[in-house]
């Protein structure tokens, strides 16, 4: 039975963007912009005013109607997570498991257990942001030292492709920022997550 950690980072608070925390005061527009930046920005040429308006309307239609006296940022964080759960975790992440079905393999997602989801839903935001409670627990529990290093270094470029960064910097110096960004956009296909 294949068991992976799908959704573990999400339920423990790892998907709430820093930009929502930094916005002061945070409002519905900040939350929608954070969703668009993370989930609707792969092809920047498609971020036209018309498309952005349609996307914003779609996002708003999937959220509960805000009360006129909504001022607390925690409600917006909850709505951000709710949107992430409904529109990404359920549709993309969990459906990724279907490859195991295709290959005739059994799988389970223990982090989607109802009791576990209910537990993390009730955790106050300050304990969830940046996975505060989760990492505190792992440091305390630290079975046989397996959690000594909680977060690995994340780099877009695998070691054998780090030359891409140097090429982009050189191109930026010689031909300018636009050429550097165009080069990066083309080369992202060869990055860690592509």
């Amino acid at each position: 039975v294949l068991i992976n950690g799908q959704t573990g980072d999400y339920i423990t608070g790892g998907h709430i963007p820093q930009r929502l925390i930094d916005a002061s005061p945070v409002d519905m527009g900040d939350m929608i912009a954070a969703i668009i930046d993370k989930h609707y920005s792969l092809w920047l040429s498609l971020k036209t005013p018309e498309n952005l308006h349609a996307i914003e309307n779609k996002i708003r239609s999937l959220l509960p109607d805000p009360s006129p006296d909504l001022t607390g940022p925690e409600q917006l964080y909850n709505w951000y997570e709710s949107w992430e759960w409904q529109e990404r975790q359920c549709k993309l992440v969990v459906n990724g498991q279907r490859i195991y079905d295709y290959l005739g393999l059994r799988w389970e997602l223990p982090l989607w257990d109802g009791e576990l989801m209910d537990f993390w839903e009730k955790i106050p935001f300050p304990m969830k942001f940046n996975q505060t409670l989760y990492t505190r627990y792992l440091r305390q529990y630290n079975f046989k030292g397996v959690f000594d290093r909680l977060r690995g270094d994340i780099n877009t470029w695998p070691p054998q492709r780090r030359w891409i960064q140097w090429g982009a910097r050189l191109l930026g110096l010689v031909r300018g920022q636009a050429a550097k960004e165009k080069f990066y956009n083309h080369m992202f296909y060869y990055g860690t997550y592509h």
Side-chain angles (χ1 to χ4, degrees):
V1 177
L2 292 165
I3 298 175
N4 60 38
Q6 296 290 34
T7 305
D9 59 337
Y10 162 73
I11 63 172
T12 59
H15 283 218
I16 301 166
Q18 184 68 45
R19 72 177 284 168
L20 282 183
I21 308 308
D22 293 342
S24 181
V26 65
D27 62 19
M28 181 73 81
D30 295 318
M31 185 197 64
I32 290 172
I35 291 171
I36 290 172
D37 285 350
K38 182 173 181 184
H39 301 289
Y40 294 94
S41 297
L42 185 58
W43 294 289
L44 297 179
S45 62
L46 295 177
K47 284 180 79 172
T48 64
E50 300 82 31
N51 288 345
L52 290 173
H53 181 70
I55 292 166
E56 181 175 341
N57 287 341
K58 177 67 174 176
I59 293 168
R60 285 182 184 274
S61 75
L62 296 168
L63 297 171
D65 289 330
S67 62
D69 61 342
L70 176 66
T71 56
E74 200 152 330
Q75 182 63 51
L76 292 171
Y77 306 147
N78 289 337
W79 284 355
Y80 181 92
E81 283 192 315
S82 176
W83 187 93
E84 168 85 16
W85 171 78
Q86 177 181 323
E87 298 301 314
R88 182 169 183 272
Q89 296 295 316
C90 291
K91 293 178 180 177
L92 176 69
V93 175
V94 174
N95 271 316
Q97 301 293 109
R98 306 305 277 173
I99 186 67
Y100 300 142
D101 292 336
Y102 176 78
L103 297 171
L105 302 170
R106 290 182 42 220
W107 56 271
E108 292 184 22
L109 289 174
L111 299 178
W112 277 82
D113 178 79
E115 285 184 53
L116 193 57
M117 296 288 283
D118 289 344
F119 170 80
W120 283 107
E121 183 181 27
K122 293 177 182 128
I123 298 299
F125 172 73
M127 295 301 294
K128 273 183 84 173
F129 177 66
N130 206 24
Q131 297 178 293
T132 302
L133 178 62
Y134 175 66
T135 55
R136 184 181 299 165
Y137 170 76
L138 292 179
R139 282 191 180 95
Q140 232 174 344
Y141 174 63
N142 201 8
F143 180 72
K144 297 198 183 251
V146 76
F147 300 117
D148 284 344
R149 191 159 173 235
L150 291 176
R151 299 185 198 279
D153 296 329
I154 297 173
N155 193 318
T156 302
W157 309 108
Q160 69 273 23
R161 297 213 177 93
R162 297 261 168 89
W163 63 268
I164 292 171
Q165 292 173 290
W166 294 105
R169 288 178 185 149
L170 180 62
L171 192 58
L173 290 171
V174 174
R175 302 200 57 207
Q177 184 69 21
K180 175 181 174 181
E181 288 177 19
K182 185 175 180 178
F183 177 74
Y184 266 134
N185 285 338
H186 176 73
M187 297 309 287
F188 277 138
Y189 177 80
Y190 303 101
T192 299
Y193 302 110
H194 294 79

